[in-house]
Amino acid sequence: MPFHHNDFCRICKGRNLTLFFSLGKMPPSNSFIPKENLGEEKFYPLDVYFCHECKMAQLLDVVEKEEIFSHYTYFSSTSSPLVEHFKLYAEEMQKRFLEPNELVVEIGSNDGVLLQFFKEKNRIVGVEPAENVAKIAAARGINTINSFFNEIIARKILSEYGNAKLMTCNNAFAHIDDIDEIVRGIKTLLADDGVYVFEVKYLPDLINQKQFDMIYHEHLLYYTLRPAIELFKKFGMDVFDVKKVSTHGGSIRVFVCNRGAYPVNDSVKKMLEYEESSGFYDLKTFEKFAADIFEVKKNLVAFVRKLKSEKKRIIGYGAPAKGNTLLGFFEFGPNEIEYITDNTPAKIGLLTPGTHIPVVSNDILKTDTPDYALLLIWNYRDAVLKREEDLRKRGMKFIVMLPKLEVL
Ligand SMILES: [Zn+2]
């Protein structure tokens, strides 16, 4: 079975863990399937645990990484707000940490969406496990190694290119089961005065905004700052700065260095104070979150049933991985949601994992006008409402579910 269950915390190795939110059994969120493979789907528990020692929230049921990441249907460059985000990100890093020609290494570099902006001034290496995605990056001129990142790959890059001044990992830092292995690799490759920067979804935003659909098998780790500090401490490294960024409905950008290489900014202390005073080290906060989400489910299911009883047509708008958590948790299938529109060629023509709703091109909405569209890409809410102004004039309404139910 390409699956295992851990009985310890990934960060502190403690065994005092409590399950606080069970979303049932689901297939991996990005595994859109062709009709002919319907019988072959595998379902795995999607349960979130809280570690009482280091306060990390995490999944303990692990779908092996080869199963999820060897072929991938998420291409970062398909999202234009994300491309703009990475452009500014690269500019900030160059200004703050990099001299021309110094080495930048990205773990989980996807199609090169970030590295493309370093290419002119710096040497770059991307490490990307998905063969189909790595090929696209290489075709765009992004120097890419098609592999999972680990200590061996770190040594290989070291011997070929020397130390990295900047290492980075975006979102993928929440995807890792053996996190110690990754940090050892970073430690191996990073220059003494080098900086490791990662961006991940910030758990307090997930909780505050009720973004439970960000929970899926790829996301093994749900970060607050405190366990991140603890993780790097074990390897003689400091978290020396942190800032909030808006990606994925609220993320943090965390800056890490070898111990003492940079002074620790006040931002670190401030964020720890915020987390503590807001209850993010307390199991009760997480239990309340889970109860709230079951309430959201009850309300939305009742709302959709009512619309269906009035013979209204409902579709889904956008087919992100997180949409599949939501559809699966709400138990919506083709009877509730007729089809889902998306622009990603790799998804069009397939069915959503577990719920089996057909994914079709956005073009269908040029001629078809359903009554309602469930907005699954809520993180692009404003952009979508603007883009689909004509469709709304034709009479289609958007249903926004989170953080509260709205019809727009
Ligand atoms: Zn722990």
Side-chain angles (χ1 to χ4, degrees), residues 375 380-389 392 398 400 408:
L375 183 65
Y380 298 122
R381 166 187 173 138
D382 293 344
V384 170
L385 290 176
K386 212 170 140 205
R387 190 195 308 151
E388 299 297 0
E389 225 166 305
R392 293 168 69 208
F398 278 100
V400 179
L408 302 165

Side-chain angles (χ1 to χ4, degrees), residues 4 9 33 43 48 54-57 77 101 122 128 153 209 211 279 283 293 295 319 335 353 355 361:
H4 69 267
C9 165
I33 47 163
F43 290 71
V48 199
C54 74
K55 319 302 180 190
M56 191 75 189
S77 295
N101 217 33
N122 294 97
E128 169 54 48
I153 293 291
Q209 301 294 315
Q211 299 159 346
L283 177 64
I293 299 306
E295 193 62 27
N335 289 335
T355 49
S361 157

Side-chain angles (χ1 to χ4, degrees), residues 9 11-14 51 53-56 58:
C9 165
I11 303 292
C12 72
K13 315 302 173 206
C51 172
E53 305 298 324
C54 74
K55 319 302 180 190
M56 191 75 189
Q58 58 199 296

Side-chain angles (χ1 to χ4, degrees), residues 54-69:
C54 74
K55 319 302 180 190
M56 191 75 189
Q58 58 199 296
L59 308 186
L60 296 179
D61 298 289
V62 183
V63 182
E64 301 308 343
K65 56 187 189 297
E66 292 76 12
E67 186 87 347
I68 296 186
F69 296 109

Side-chain angles (χ1 to χ4, degrees), residues 94 98-99 101-102 104 118-124:
Q94 282 178 320
L98 287 166
E99 297 294 332
N101 217 33
E102 285 182 322
V104 179
F118 287 104
K119 217 171 81 172
E120 286 209 349
K121 291 189 191 143
N122 294 97
R123 292 176 298 133
I124 56 168

Side-chain angles (χ1 to χ4, degrees), residues 255-407:
F255 300 75
V256 187
C257 63
N258 285 306
R259 188 156 297 150
Y262 289 83
V264 179
N265 196 301
D266 255 4
S267 57
V268 174
K269 196 173 138 223
K270 277 188 193 140
M271 192 168 281
L272 290 174
E273 281 167 3
Y274 161 74
E275 289 174 358
E276 169 113 61
S277 66
S278 310
F280 290 109
Y281 306 148
D282 185 349
L283 177 64
K284 279 195 207 87
T285 303
F286 298 92
E287 287 172 338
K288 181 179 180 305
F289 164 72
D292 286 351
I293 299 306
F294 280 104
E295 193 62 27
V296 168
K297 175 176 178 173
K298 211 173 85 190
N299 294 336
L300 186 71
V301 169
F303 180 66
V304 165
R305 276 201 193 125
K306 182 173 159 284
L307 293 181
K308 291 315 282 186
S309 74
E310 293 163 2
K311 303 273 182 271
K312 300 291 187 200
R313 291 179 59 212
I314 311 173
I315 62 148
Y317 193 97
K322 61 176 178 284
N324 293 325
T325 292
L326 194 143
L327 296 166
F329 183 67
F330 291 157
E331 299 167 65
F332 288 158
N335 289 335
E336 289 79 21
I337 311 293
E338 220 175 290
Y339 58 76
I340 296 180
T341 64
D342 201 88
N343 279 333
T344 313
K347 293 179 186 174
I348 293 169
L350 301 180
L351 302 174
T352 53
T355 49
H356 307 156
I357 302 165
V359 181
V360 301
S361 157
N362 264 349
D363 289 344
I364 196 169
L365 296 174
K366 285 178 184 159
T367 48
D368 193 18
T369 313
D371 300 300
Y372 293 90
L374 206 52
L375 183 65
L376 297 169
I377 41 171
W378 46 256
N379 44 328
Y380 298 122
R381 166 187 173 138
D382 293 344
V384 170
L385 290 176
K386 212 170 140 205
R387 190 195 308 151
E388 299 297 0
E389 225 166 305
D390 278 351
L391 192 56
R392 293 168 69 208
K393 276 187 194 142
R394 267 156 45 203
M396 194 192 79
K397 295 190 178 76
F398 278 100
I399 304 172
V400 179
M401 296 146 284
L402 305 170
K404 63 177 177 27
L405 184 58
E406 284 176 274
V407 177

Side-chain angles (χ1 to χ4, degrees), residues 138-349:
R140 298 171 69 202
I142 306 297
N143 183 20
T144 304
I145 299 173
N146 177 211
S147 171
F148 287 98
F149 182 79
N150 54 34
E151 247 188 302
I152 296 165
I153 293 291
R155 287 221 187 81
K156 188 174 164 243
I157 298 172
L158 182 66
S159 70
E160 230 171 286
Y161 301 88
N163 285 116
K165 181 62 182 294
L166 175 70
M167 291 185 70
T168 172
C169 181
N170 301 296
N171 304 310
F173 207 57
H175 296 176
I176 297 158
D177 184 31
D178 188 354
I179 192 100
D180 287 3
E181 163 85 18
I182 302 296
V183 181
R184 276 196 298 272
I186 293 166
K187 190 82 185 163
T188 301
L189 184 51
L190 198 66
D192 290 343
D193 63 345
V195 179
Y196 171 60
V197 182
F198 67 96
E199 273 189 13
V200 275
K201 178 72 198 169
Y202 189 44
L203 180 62
D205 289 325
L206 187 156
I207 302 253
N208 291 339
Q209 301 294 315
K210 300 196 172 80
Q211 299 159 346
F212 78 93
D213 54 348
M214 299 295 294
I215 299 167
Y216 46 96
H217 293 105
E218 278 169 37
H219 294 164
L220 295 170
L221 294 159
Y222 300 83
Y223 284 89
T224 51
L225 188 61
R226 178 172 157 170
I229 292 174
E230 178 148 340
L231 169 67
F232 288 103
K233 207 193 233 171
K234 289 195 301 188
F235 293 90
M237 300 178 88
D238 294 335
V239 169
F240 69 94
D241 198 2
V242 62
K243 67 191 253 186
K244 294 276 315 268
V245 288
S246 63
T247 36
H248 302 289
S251 302
I252 43 173
R253 184 180 296 168
V254 183
F255 300 75
V256 187
C257 63
N258 285 306
R259 188 156 297 150
Y262 289 83
V264 179
N265 196 301
D266 255 4
S267 57
V268 174
K269 196 173 138 223
K270 277 188 193 140
M271 192 168 281
L272 290 174
E273 281 167 3
Y274 161 74
E275 289 174 358
E276 169 113 61
S277 66
S278 310
F280 290 109
Y281 306 148
D282 185 349
L283 177 64
K284 279 195 207 87
T285 303
F286 298 92
E287 287 172 338
K288 181 179 180 305
F289 164 72
D292 286 351
I293 299 306
F294 280 104
E295 193 62 27
V296 168
K297 175 176 178 173
K298 211 173 85 190
N299 294 336
L300 186 71
V301 169
F303 180 66
V304 165
R305 276 201 193 125
K306 182 173 159 284
L307 293 181
K308 291 315 282 186
S309 74
E310 293 163 2
K311 303 273 182 271
K312 300 291 187 200
R313 291 179 59 212
I314 311 173
I315 62 148
Y317 193 97
K322 61 176 178 284
N324 293 325
T325 292
L326 194 143
L327 296 166
F329 183 67
F330 291 157
E331 299 167 65
F332 288 158
N335 289 335
E336 289 79 21
I337 311 293
E338 220 175 290
Y339 58 76
I340 296 180
T341 64
D342 201 88
N343 279 333
T344 313
K347 293 179 186 174
I348 293 169

